[in-house]
Amino acid sequence: MSKPARLSGFPEWLPAERLVENHVIDILRRTFELHGYAPLHTRAVEPLSRLAKNGEIDKEIFTVGRLSAGEAESKNPLGLHFDLTVPLARFVTENAGRLDFPFKRYQIQPVWRGERPQDGRFREFIQADIDVIGDGALPEHYETEVALVIAKAFEALRPLGLPPATILVNNRRLIEGFARGAGLEDVPAVLRSLDKLDKIGPDRVHELLLAEAGADDRQARLCLALAAIESEDDGFVEQVRALGVSHPMLDEGLEQLARLVRAAAERAPGTVRAQLKIARGLDYYTGTVYETVLHGHEDLGSVASGGRYDSLASLGSRTFPGVGFSLGLSRLLSRLIGPEGLRASRKVPAAVLVAVTDEESRPAADRAADALRARGIPAEVSPDAAKFGKQIKYADRRGIPFVWFPGTGLAGEVKDIRSGEQSGADAGSWEPPAEDLWPRVVGGAPSHPVGRQ
């Protein structure tokens, strides 16, 4: 029988790697909840018409259909969501009467994109999102809050060996106002061109601005000069002014971005940097936009992105502006997990393998395992009553540190198979050392338990 071919772009972690992924998810969940964000899980599919109406993303959508679909279903095709923002907008409009605003939610679940797989880019991957949604209005200070919450999330992952991260910020009003002030009217084309700067370089972007945005040489050079500006403080304002372009929307964008950078510098120095080439490709962003890079892994691109959107969700004349951040968890883990990176210290959660003397005594082994589990000690019962040596080898292959040999009632003996030490113990009171209770993340510095605490 031939070995089945792997589908590219659909990562499948081994159990020990999945334990690390779960641990990272737990850290993110705790960080988000500490800042008041409530959990949400939305369905995997949305009407194709909803997914395709915002931005030029129709080529990225996986469509979904039943082989026996009727005519009605064929006229209303479904697609797998390519992000968690569009489903959130739909959820908010459908449940507006039952939500309290501002609505702060986090969401950690898979998304799907039909793009070409490459390093750090997948067709199926997990995103971790936070968003704040307002009813009619949303205070500007939330644009600072979401950035700092993501900064806290990266800080919480640092003990695992994650390198430092910098959040890069810009403002779409700033870019649009600058483009209009320079005499360019096709702002979406300007945004799309600048968004490709890191991928194709300034010379090629200059050509795109001429060919697709209707720019002349002077206008293209102005746009590239704007994109070259970056600063850890509000010094970028004077640098933009020095380019000699003026427009009311530019003034508004500069002021908003300067307020964000100053507030972030006061609360979390060194975590946020203004970088005026950040544009973000999706059309629904209207204000602040974010990207995040890992130091030493800049080639991976942004591992967390987002922005402000004012018109993505609406219900008649009622609008729900929002601001959010999406962390590409699978992209992040693709650089952290592996033989030379993070891994779990054992392949399974069990800290104890309960041995089975013979099949007639299996109920006694089950009772001992249940007594251990009742006190929060993960335990597995041996799959067969082989010789004890083979049962010990079974535990060793999985990295299970202890083997329990049942005696009378809950009494028995426990062996640390690493050191060979064996002693009497009672399943109702014995506990393994704290560092052995759950698998630990290793490969970072120091190691950390990955089980439920």
Side-chain angles (χ1 to χ4, degrees), residues 8-10 57-63 80-85 110-117 120-125 127 129 280 282 284-285 302 305 326 328 331:
S8 62
F10 295 87
I57 42 74
D58 54 304
K59 291 183 292 186
E60 298 181 354
I61 300 172
F62 280 112
T63 58
L80 294 171
H81 56 226
F82 59 87
D83 73 358
L84 299 177
T85 306
V111 299
W112 296 266
R113 294 183 186 177
E115 57 187 20
R116 181 175 64 85
R121 288 187 176 273
F122 306 103
R123 290 173 171 171
E124 178 184 42
F125 55 97
Q127 277 192 190
D129 280 25
R280 303 298 302 145
L282 295 173
Y284 53 64
Y285 292 124
S302 178
S305 308
S326 297
R331 175 180 287 195

Side-chain angles (χ1 to χ4, degrees), residues 26-260:
D26 287 342
I27 291 174
L28 295 176
R29 183 185 295 116
R30 175 171 173 77
T31 302
F32 298 156
E33 291 181 356
L34 280 173
H35 289 83
Y37 290 76
L40 185 66
H41 187 101
T42 56
R43 66 197 187 202
V45 297
E46 298 289 339
L48 194 58
S49 57
R50 176 180 292 274
L51 291 172
K53 76 175 184 178
N54 288 290
E56 298 183 358
I57 42 74
D58 54 304
K59 291 183 292 186
E60 298 181 354
I61 300 172
F62 280 112
T63 58
V64 177
R66 296 188 302 124
L67 291 176
S68 58
E71 183 178 352
E73 289 182 69
S74 299
K75 291 181 178 179
N76 297 284
L78 300 175
L80 294 171
H81 56 226
F82 59 87
D83 73 358
L84 299 177
T85 306
V86 174
L88 171 64
R90 187 265 310 160
F91 180 88
V92 168
T93 57
E94 289 181 355
N95 296 278
R98 297 187 291 173
L99 298 176
D100 296 314
F101 294 93
F103 174 52
K104 299 172 63 172
R105 82 86 172 87
Y106 75 87
Q107 208 167 333
I108 304 174
Q109 64 183 91
V111 299
W112 296 266
R113 294 183 186 177
E115 57 187 20
R116 181 175 64 85
Q118 51 188 298
D119 182 27
R121 288 187 176 273
F122 306 103
R123 290 173 171 171
E124 178 184 42
F125 55 97
I126 296 177
Q127 277 192 190
D129 280 25
I130 59 169
D131 284 82
V132 185
I133 308 296
D135 187 358
L138 182 70
E140 188 180 308
H141 62 78
Y142 284 114
E143 296 174 33
T144 302
E145 177 181 305
V146 295
L148 295 186
V149 172
I150 292 297
K152 285 290 185 182
F154 280 102
E155 182 182 327
L157 294 172
R158 287 290 305 282
L160 299 182
L162 188 77
T166 298
I167 296 175
L168 308 172
V169 296
N170 197 6
N171 191 289
R172 290 282 280 263
R173 288 186 173 88
L174 189 162
I175 306 174
E176 180 173 350
F178 187 90
R180 295 191 183 281
L184 294 167
E185 295 300 324
D186 192 350
V187 175
V190 174
L191 292 171
R192 288 194 299 271
S193 299
L194 293 179
D195 195 44
K196 299 175 181 177
L197 190 56
D198 285 339
K199 295 179 181 178
I200 63 176
D203 292 342
R204 185 73 182 96
V205 169
H206 186 280
E207 295 173 5
L208 284 178
L209 289 167
L210 298 180
E212 299 183 7
D216 58 28
D217 185 69
R218 181 190 67 86
Q219 292 168 325
R221 291 184 183 279
L222 279 172
C223 290
L224 288 170
L226 176 76
I229 295 172
E230 57 181 282
S231 174
E232 291 183 354
D233 54 31
D234 60 4
F236 65 88
V237 175
E238 291 306 315
Q239 295 180 61
V240 174
R241 298 292 188 203
L243 296 177
V245 175
S246 61
H247 192 278
M249 188 178 291
L250 171 61
D251 295 338
E252 183 182 1
L254 282 170
E255 292 168 4
Q256 289 180 352
L257 186 59
R259 286 193 293 268
L260 188 158

